[in-house]
Amino acid sequence: MTTLAAAYKDLKVLVIDDQDTFRLTISIMLEYLGVPTIVEADSGATGYDQLLRHKPDVVLCDMHMTPMDGQEFLRKAREAADPAVRDVAMIFLSGDNQLDTVRGAMRHHADGYLVKPFEVEDLKQQLDITVTILGARRKAAR
C-alpha cells in the first residue's frame, strides 16, 4: 500500500493565482510537503494552457481572477475531451468564505476549498484527502 508521503513524491501540482506573493508562498508550502513538480500560472487563461501542457494531478486555483476566474477555469476543464484534463483534482483557494461561493465551487465539481489565509497544515490536510481520492480513482480505473 502506498503511503501519503510516497504519493507526494510523484505528485504534480499546478498553482494558479494572480498574486505573485501568494503563488510563491503556496509553492514553498508544497516544496516543504515534498511535492517535486510544481507549475505556476498567474491567471486562469495561463493556468488552462499549463493544465493542457503539463497535465498535473492537482490544481490549486484562486477563485477570483480576471478575466477568467476559478469557476470558469474549472467549468472549462470539466468540459474538456481529454480525461487527464477533465478529471484533474481541483482545490479552490480564496479569501471568500461566503456560502454561495463555496456552493458554486462544489456545483462545478471542485474537490476542495481552502479559505485564505491558511497554514501549511491546512494545505497538507486537503492534499492528503485529495491524494487518497486520486489513489482510489486510479486503482478503480485499472
Side-chain angles (χ1 to χ4, degrees):
M1 180 171 186
T2 305
T3 65
L4 288 173
Y8 274 41
K9 290 184 191 307
D10 296 325
L11 204 59
K12 186 186 307 182
V13 178
L14 169 59
V15 180
I16 307 169
D17 198 294
D18 56 355
Q19 295 179 8
D20 294 342
T21 304
F22 190 73
R23 204 171 54 249
L24 176 63
T25 300
I26 295 299
S27 292
I28 290 169
M29 287 180 174
L30 290 168
E31 287 175 4
Y32 174 79
L33 293 173
V35 175
T37 307
I38 303 161
V39 179
E40 296 183 14
D42 61 1
S43 71
T46 304
Y48 193 75
D49 290 342
Q50 296 289 43
L51 174 64
L52 296 175
R53 180 176 305 130
H54 296 282
K55 297 196 174 54
D57 302 296
V58 178
V59 175
L60 302 174
C61 184
D62 185 23
M63 274 296 272
H64 300 292
M65 298 177 288
T66 57
M68 181 189 293
D69 67 10
Q71 287 191 50
E72 184 179 348
F73 172 90
L74 180 56
R75 180 192 52 73
K76 190 172 180 178
R78 294 296 187 241
E79 292 173 353
D82 182 347
V85 173
R86 182 181 61 239
D87 300 334
V88 69
M90 179 76 171
I91 301 169
F92 278 124
L93 313 173
S94 182
D96 185 347
N97 64 356
Q98 297 297 311
L99 188 56
D100 286 345
T101 305
V102 177
R103 283 182 179 157
M106 296 306 121
R107 271 193 307 273
H108 289 92
H109 306 288
D111 296 288
Y113 196 101
L114 284 170
V115 177
K116 298 177 188 178
F118 52 84
E119 302 294 325
V120 69
E121 294 83 17
D122 302 318
L123 178 58
K124 182 181 183 323
Q125 182 179 28
Q126 185 64 65
L127 281 176
D128 286 351
I129 293 165
T130 303
V131 165
T132 301
I133 292 168
L134 284 173
R137 284 181 192 163
R138 288 176 178 154
K139 189 175 182 179
R142 287 188 214 150

